Amino acid sequence: MGEIVEWDAAGLARAVAGRQVSCVEVMEAYLEHIDAVDPHLGAIVGRQDAEISLRQARERDEQLRRGEPPGPLHGFPYAVKDLTEAKGLPWTEGSPVYRDRVGRQDALLVQRAKAAGAVVIGKTNTPEFGLGSQTYNPVWGTTGNAYDPSRTAGGSSGGAAVALALRMLPVADGSDYMGSLRNPAAFNNVLGMRPSWGLVPSPGWTAQLATAGPMARTVDDLARLLSVLAGPHPSAPLAGGVGCGELGAGGGEFAGLDAALGKDREPLRGVRVAWVGDWGGRLATDPGVLEVCRSSLAVFEALGCEVTEARPHFALEEIWRTFLAWRGWANLERYGLYEDPATRALMKPEAVWEVERGAALSALDLAEAAASRDRWYEALREFFGRYDYVLAPAAQVFPFRKETHWPERIAGRAMDTYHRWMETVVPWTLAGVPVIAMPAGFGGGGPEGGLPAGVQLVGRHGDDAGLLRLARAYERETGWVERVRPALVG
């Protein structure tokens, strides 16, 4: 039974489809493993009753016995990030305001996972309202790092990253506004992908900065879950255009994806990669972070890539100001909670700060933020005329103590906001381009071998399949996920 949780998603899917293992056996193995491991970490929360999960697994087995074709997640135990509504499960967003709220319907993301065969067993932990890259909240508590439970898991998809690293889930969804798929992946030695904006549909008419995306332990598994989540939907009129042809149309369309990524080693000679590093000293970093991240450059060079240190011609401070305006605007969705003194008193200070910043914006501020975002996107398009991909640190610090809400100083430099220490992820969020956070190595003290660090591999908008191909080549050469495993899984 213990062997089952070690399989990657591709191997698990083959075993289920080939009837080498039943969906009930898969569920039993995962539930037993979660019970053994998760009390040390607090990654999976709001679990449904085990008997319900086993009954749903038996229903998946019955589908196979009837000859129904399995989906790409058939019989997979699956946990949804607690920012997302799932019918019958707690939907707290980590906030005491919503402590007792239960989902009444499945969000589109959950519908697609279930249509692909997944059995939703619970939620993954997140910071309150998803704000900040430190997964703690007064509802579910704090999630510890997979490599050192006394350290932070990152966030806001911290529960998902830890569950993956400790083999409690085969794949996991997350969402990303300010690195929420990328920072926890870096902190827990797994992979997180922020797709091109619009590939995974977001409802409504405003192209805000957030997007859902996949997390996994292999690039193939990232692609598998992305193929389930991606594709147009009537609720998302701005989504579903570029990139969907190669990556499926949602609801479990996985056929042809292996061919799209390519199984054989592909020549990478002449692929141009720009390393932006700390933007010429503009970004504060923990001692050792840049050295670990730079070690990945030699891997790309060995693959045949041409790696050059270069940065787009655009002021990083303008990118930051523009991002703050968009984020403040987005957080006005919680203005009703802020306006009521009773619920405002339950909100964490960072959430109150975000709403107040948003409320202070004028129409002219938002118009300038929209124009600045366009200017940055054009500058980046010009940069991608000279380079095919960009490499950047996925986090500016190593995982810090989980009692620390956020780093107030990095290498002696004061942080002027609760999230300034995550600035390395902001340019790519603002541009809406695809990014994969990949393990880069270990350093920064901590347990034997150090703490995880990661890099962001950034591509042109719509080139999600190309980005996955290059990430797969890097993965073949490094193998960090299996090379350095958390002590709790040996």
Side-chain angles (χ1 to χ4, degrees):
M1 295 290 278
E3 181 184 354
I4 291 173
V5 301
E6 293 288 346
W7 295 339
D8 60 20
L12 180 60
R14 285 192 299 269
V16 168
R19 310 288 289 276
Q20 297 168 288
V21 65
S22 71
C23 297
V24 168
E25 288 173 322
V26 170
M27 185 61 66
E28 288 174 341
Y30 270 96
L31 293 181
E32 179 181 328
H33 184 61
I34 292 168
D35 286 341
V37 173
D38 201 41
H40 303 283
L41 282 305
I44 299 178
V45 299
R47 284 173 57 187
Q48 73 176 0
D49 186 82
E51 285 304 313
I52 298 175
S53 298
L54 289 166
R55 174 174 54 78
Q56 292 171 344
R58 283 192 290 271
E59 291 169 359
R60 295 304 189 200
D61 281 328
E62 284 298 323
Q63 290 175 318
L64 292 176
R65 279 191 281 271
R66 291 195 298 267
E68 297 179 22
L73 308 181
H74 197 88
F76 283 27
Y78 193 87
V80 180
K81 186 175 177 179
D82 196 25
L83 300 183
T84 302
E85 185 175 12
K87 186 176 180 179
L89 292 177
W91 180 29
T92 75
E93 299 184 51
S95 173
V97 175
Y98 298 132
R99 183 185 296 274
D100 300 318
R101 185 172 64 172
V102 175
R104 293 189 293 179
Q105 60 186 357
D106 287 332
L108 177 60
L109 177 154
V110 182
Q111 294 174 32
R112 288 184 166 179
K114 288 182 175 180
V119 176
V120 177
I121 64 169
K123 309 298 276 295
T124 55
N125 203 17
T126 181
E128 184 176 347
F129 301 125
L131 298 176
S133 189
Q134 217 288 50
T135 297
Y136 70 93
N137 63 68
V139 180
W140 304 115
T142 304
T143 301
N145 188 282
Y147 285 79
D148 182 349
S150 72
R151 307 279 180 142
T152 179
S156 60
S157 306
V162 172
L164 282 168
L166 292 174
R167 281 64 178 172
M168 291 187 280
L169 295 172
V171 291
D173 66 66
S175 55
D176 188 304
Y177 196 108
M178 191 184 182
S180 291
L181 285 158
R182 294 165 279 167
N183 189 272
F187 277 7
N188 292 280
N189 197 42
V190 294
L191 296 99
M193 182 176 185
R194 179 188 168 95
S196 292
W197 195 92
L199 183 56
V200 175
S202 298
W205 283 102
T206 302
Q208 257 296 347
L209 306 184
T211 182
M215 302 186 79
R217 294 191 298 272
T218 72
V219 173
D220 281 7
D221 290 353
L222 272 186
R224 176 175 290 267
L225 183 54
L226 182 59
S227 75
V228 171
L229 304 179
H233 190 267
S235 68
L238 301 182
V242 181
C244 287
E246 288 189 281
L247 294 170
E253 295 293 332
F254 187 64
L257 183 57
D258 284 342
L261 294 189
K263 279 296 185 186
D264 298 322
R265 292 178 181 270
E266 298 180 10
L268 296 172
R269 192 158 305 283
V271 171
R272 302 161 300 172
V273 177
W275 161 248
V276 300
D278 61 357
W279 290 72
R282 172 65 184 76
L283 300 179
T285 58
D286 264 356
V289 165
L290 287 178
E291 288 73 15
V292 174
C293 293
R294 281 197 194 100
S295 69
S296 68
L297 305 187
V299 178
F300 287 96
E301 290 172 337
L303 289 167
C305 300
E306 299 173 3
V307 181
T308 306
E309 184 164 352
R311 290 173 290 280
H313 298 302
F314 202 89
L316 190 59
E317 188 60 33
E318 181 178 342
I319 294 172
W320 178 249
R321 288 196 308 270
T322 301
F323 171 82
L324 288 182
W326 278 87
R327 187 172 175 91
W329 180 20
N331 275 281
L332 287 178
E333 68 182 11
R334 282 181 275 276
Y335 189 79
L337 299 180
Y338 171 85
E339 199 173 26
D340 182 341
T343 50
R344 185 194 312 168
L346 297 175
M347 298 167 66
K348 73 177 184 178
E350 293 84 358
V352 172
W353 180 83
E354 290 282 13
V355 174
E356 289 177 345
R357 279 191 61 89
L361 294 168
S362 69
L364 285 175
D365 292 330
L366 295 179
E368 170 53 28
S372 178
R373 185 183 183 185
D374 290 344
R375 291 194 298 271
W376 162 235
Y377 182 74
E378 286 305 309
L380 188 57
R381 278 208 323 127
E382 187 276 332
F383 192 65
F384 275 126
R386 292 180 281 128
Y387 300 97
D388 301 303
Y389 298 95
V390 176
L391 271 173
Q396 293 166 229
V397 297
F398 291 107
F400 47 87
R401 301 289 299 183
K402 66 182 182 183
E403 296 82 11
T404 302
H405 288 184
W406 51 274
E408 296 184 13
R409 303 185 73 84
I410 300 176
R413 290 164 60 174
M415 301 292 102
D416 59 354
T417 72
Y418 79 99
H419 45 21
R420 190 71 177 240
W421 61 278
M422 299 166 59
E423 194 171 357
T424 184
V425 303
V426 167
W428 328 116
T429 287
L430 196 64
V433 293
V435 192
I436 298 176
M438 308 180 298
F442 290 74
E448 185 177 354
L451 294 162
V455 288
Q456 298 175 88
L457 181 62
V458 186
R460 298 181 180 91
H461 187 267
D463 188 27
D464 298 69
L467 191 70
L468 285 160
R469 290 187 194 104
L470 183 55
R472 179 192 264 168
Y474 172 86
E475 177 183 66
R476 284 194 186 113
E477 298 301 315
T478 57
W480 280 114
V481 174
E482 288 299 325
R483 190 165 143 197
V484 183
R485 294 161 57 92
L488 281 171
V489 291

